[in-house]
Amino acid sequence: MTAVEPLVLGIETSCDETGVGIVRGTTLLANVIASSMDEHARYGGVVPEVAARAHLEAMTPTLEQALEQAGVTLDELDAVAVTAGPGLAGALMVGVGAAKALAVATGKPLYGVNHLVGHVGADVLRSDGSEIDLPTVALLVSGGHTSLLLVRDLVGDVELLGETIDDAAGEAFDKVARLLGLPYPGGPQIDRAAADGDPTAIRFPRGLTLPKDMAAHRYDFSFSGLKTAVARWVERCRDDGRDVPVADVAASFREAVVDVLLTKALAACRDTGVDRLLLGGGVVANARLRQVAEERCAAAGVALRIPPFDLCTDNGAMIAAVGARLVAEGHAPSDLGIAADSTLPVTTVQV
C-alpha cells in the first residue's frame, strides 16, 4: 500500500544534466546532478549527440549516488518518475529508457512528467515546508525555454499563456556572450561582466513590447531581434576602431532581457488577477533578474516565489516532486509504452 508521503525517485535528462532526485512527499532526500557542460563548451553550445552519450555514461553512478545520499533502496520506492518531455529527443530517450528499466525491474509504477511543470514543482521542496499558493503565474526561463504559465493546480490545471517565438532567453545569453568573446555558458559570464557595467549605457530594444506587438503577442517573448541589435552595435563599435565596452554592453543587454521578462510576467498577474509570481529555470540564477523581480513585484503588490537556488536548474528532484504529488492524489501510473516527446505541451502534466 502506498505511503501517505510517497517515496519517489525522479530522473531528468532533457538537456545536458543527468539528474536523479529522491523525495518523500515534499521532503527532499537527495538531489544529484552530473553535468556534461564542459564537454559542450568546446562547441559553444549543447550538442544533442554528445548530451545523449553523456547521459548514458552518467546514469548508473548518478543513480547510485542518489540512493546512497537518501539512504534508501530501490525496493523501498513507491514510484519512479521521469521527464518525458519537452527537451532534446535523444537525451530524453536515455532517461525514459532508464526509468522504464527501473520500473520493470522493481515492479514500481512509472510516471512520465512534464519538464516545465517540474520547474514549478521544485518550489514544493522548500526546507521551511511552506506550501506553494495556487493559482500562481509562473515565469520559466532557461536555455531552451521561456514560458509564461498560469498554474491553477500543479498536476491538474496548467495553462500556457505565452512562450518564446524564437530564441529562448538562455540562448540569447549564450549568443551575446559569444559576440563579446566570453566563454560558454553565457549566462554566468554575462552576469559577471555586467557587474562592472552601466545598464543604462545602451538602449537595446525590448522585443514584442510595442502596443501593436502586445495586442498580438501579449505574453509571448522574442529575443532574436535583441541579439541582432547587440551584434550590430558591437560591429559598428569595432568598425570605428573603438574597443568594445564589454561591461556596458553586457549590463545593457541583461537589462533589456530582464525588463521584457518581468514586464510580461507582471502584465499576466494583472490581467489574471493573480497576485503571485513564481520564477523557475536556470536563468533565475541571474542576479539582476532576481533583484529586479523583487523590486518590481514589491511595487506591484505581487508575492514573489523563487524555488531553492540549487533546484532552479534542471534536476531530478523537481521531477520526483511532481511524481510524488501525482501518487499522493491517486493518479494512475503512466503506461510502460510511453515515449519521449521533445515537443510535449506544458498543458500535459503527465504522459
Side-chain angles (χ1 to χ4, degrees), residues 271-289:
D271 296 347
T272 60
V274 174
D275 59 357
R276 288 178 288 273
L277 176 63
L278 183 146
L279 300 186
V283 178
V284 175
N286 187 282
R288 184 60 176 164
L289 175 58

Side-chain angles (χ1 to χ4, degrees), residues 5 11 30 70 72 79 81 93 102 126 162 164 175 184 199 216 233 274 278 281 283 288 323 329 349:
E5 290 281 284
I11 296 174
V72 302
M93 284 191 279
L102 285 174
R126 289 173 174 268
T164 183
K175 291 174 180 177
Y184 174 86
W233 197 95
V274 174
L278 183 146
V283 178
R288 184 60 176 164
E329 294 188 4
V349 176

Side-chain angles (χ1 to χ4, degrees), residues 59-117:
M59 183 58 67
T60 297
T62 306
L63 174 63
E64 291 173 345
Q65 188 179 344
L67 290 167
E68 182 180 355
Q69 190 178 104
V72 302
T73 66
L74 289 173
D75 288 339
E76 294 176 78
L77 298 175
D78 291 308
V80 176
V82 63
T83 296
L88 301 175
L92 288 167
M93 284 191 279
V94 176
V96 170
K100 287 181 179 180
L102 285 174
V104 170
T106 61
K108 307 297 181 181
L110 174 70
Y111 288 81
V113 172
N114 190 295
H115 170 78
L116 297 179
V117 178

Side-chain angles (χ1 to χ4, degrees), residues 16 37-38 41 44 170 173-174 177 182-190 192:
D16 62 341
M37 186 178 295
D38 290 344
F173 272 95
D174 289 339
L182 301 174
Y184 174 86
Q189 300 297 332
I190 292 286
R192 292 189 192 99

Side-chain angles (χ1 to χ4, degrees), residues 289-331:
L289 175 58
R290 297 196 309 275
Q291 176 190 350
V292 177
E294 290 170 358
E295 294 170 354
R296 292 182 61 172
C297 284
V302 171
L304 177 66
R305 296 269 294 197
I306 302 178
F309 193 71
D310 57 348
L311 296 178
C312 285
T313 56
D314 294 347
N315 63 86
M318 67 185 192
I319 301 304
V322 176
R325 180 65 64 90
L326 288 165
V327 174
E329 294 188 4
H331 290 258

